[in-house]
Amino acid sequence: MEFITETNRIYASDGDGKVIAEITFPSADGVSTIDHTFVDESLRGQGVAGQLMKAAVKKISGDGNKIAATCSYAVAWLEKHPEIPHVDSCAPVACKVGGRH
């Protein structure tokens, strides 16, 4: 799967332009906070969310920012990967789109 990288977002779309995978990470004061992950039901269980996380970590680190997370998936993923430095977010854990991943 080929991801499209923007300033604070990485995503993939299908042939019709429908977003089928997405992660967003707005930045402020040198910290990029992963606040949303989404993977279409047709792709679930194939490791796509993990690929999005790896791509986001690479982008955020490459931009020189610290990594934080409020998305419950991202928080859990970072806990499973202690080798990836990150900071605690001051915001409660929640996704920006109804808790949906």
Side-chain angles (χ1 to χ4, degrees):
M1 173 172 302
E2 191 167 322
F3 294 123
I4 299 162
T5 301
E6 296 178 344
T7 302
N8 296 313
R9 175 183 182 223
I10 298 171
Y11 70 99
S13 56
D14 65 12
D16 296 327
K18 175 185 169 192
V19 172
I20 55 172
E22 176 181 53
I23 189 166
T24 57
F25 41 93
S27 300
D29 302 321
V31 177
S32 293
T33 302
I34 301 169
D35 65 354
H36 169 67
T37 57
F38 165 75
V39 175
D40 188 78
E41 287 183 27
S42 66
L43 298 172
R44 293 198 182 152
Q46 299 178 37
V48 175
Q51 291 174 30
L52 283 169
M53 283 296 299
K54 289 175 185 174
V57 164
K58 183 177 179 180
K59 169 79 168 110
I60 293 166
S61 298
D63 289 346
N65 289 333
K66 294 179 182 176
I67 300 164
T70 57
C71 167
S72 58
Y73 175 83
V75 168
W77 191 91
L78 287 167
E79 287 174 359
K80 292 178 184 175
H81 295 85
E83 72 280 7
I84 297 173
H86 60 281
V87 297
D88 288 331
S89 172
C90 296
V93 173
C95 268
K96 73 176 187 178
V97 181
R100 206 175 129 202
H101 297 285

